[in-house]
């Protein structure tokens, strides 16, 4: 394909749009702090973490939601919840066992 006069404007516009979409996706992909996800303090004990995780996992489990868009949202939240729990629990175990 050979570029014709004026084509560079469309290319520049397309690249700018792609960059904007990429920035929006990046902003949406930024995660909350693990303690905020679980709704606990930064110095929560392993028992407090477990209690908060169980409560939220029952609410956010994807099988609890029937609507497809709500189910997808719940899946993302459930995965984020699991990651936050693992991160905080390992830190709490190190803190309280040593």
């Amino acid at each position: 394909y050979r570029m014709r006069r004026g084509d560079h404007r469309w290319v520049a516009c397309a690249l700018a749009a792609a960059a904007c979409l990429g920035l929006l996706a990046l902003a949406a992909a930024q995660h909350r702090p693990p303690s905020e996800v679980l709704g606990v303090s930064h110095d929560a004990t392993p028992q407090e973490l477990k209690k908060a995780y169980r409560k939220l996992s029952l609410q956010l489990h994807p099988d609890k939601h029937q609507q497809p868009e709500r189910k997808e949202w719940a899946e993302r939240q459930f995965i984020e919840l699991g990651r936050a729990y693992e991160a905080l629990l390992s830190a709490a175990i190190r803190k309280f066992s040593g």
Side-chain angles (χ1 to χ4, degrees):
Y1 174 76
R2 186 169 180 206
M3 215 174 192
R4 296 185 196 119
R5 182 179 287 179
D7 284 351
H8 66 280
R9 291 185 199 130
W10 289 103
V11 171
C13 184
L15 289 174
C20 287
L21 290 175
L23 289 175
L24 290 175
L26 180 64
Q30 291 177 349
H31 299 289
R32 299 179 292 170
S35 57
E36 185 179 311
V37 173
L38 282 169
V40 295
S41 65
H42 293 287
D43 57 349
T45 64
Q47 292 81 14
E48 292 171 336
L49 293 173
K50 187 175 184 178
K51 183 178 178 181
Y53 174 74
R54 284 187 174 188
K55 180 181 176 184
L56 288 172
S57 66
L58 287 175
Q59 294 173 0
L60 295 174
H61 197 280
D63 291 343
K64 291 270 191 176
H65 303 278
Q66 301 300 321
Q67 299 171 342
E69 61 275 350
R70 189 77 174 151
K71 190 172 189 133
E72 290 175 18
W73 172 84
E75 287 174 0
R76 290 191 303 272
Q77 296 297 316
F78 192 71
I79 290 169
E80 185 180 14
L81 177 67
R83 289 180 181 156
Y85 177 66
E86 288 177 15
L88 286 175
L89 186 62
S90 63
I93 288 173
R94 283 193 306 267
K95 181 178 179 181
F96 286 100
S97 68

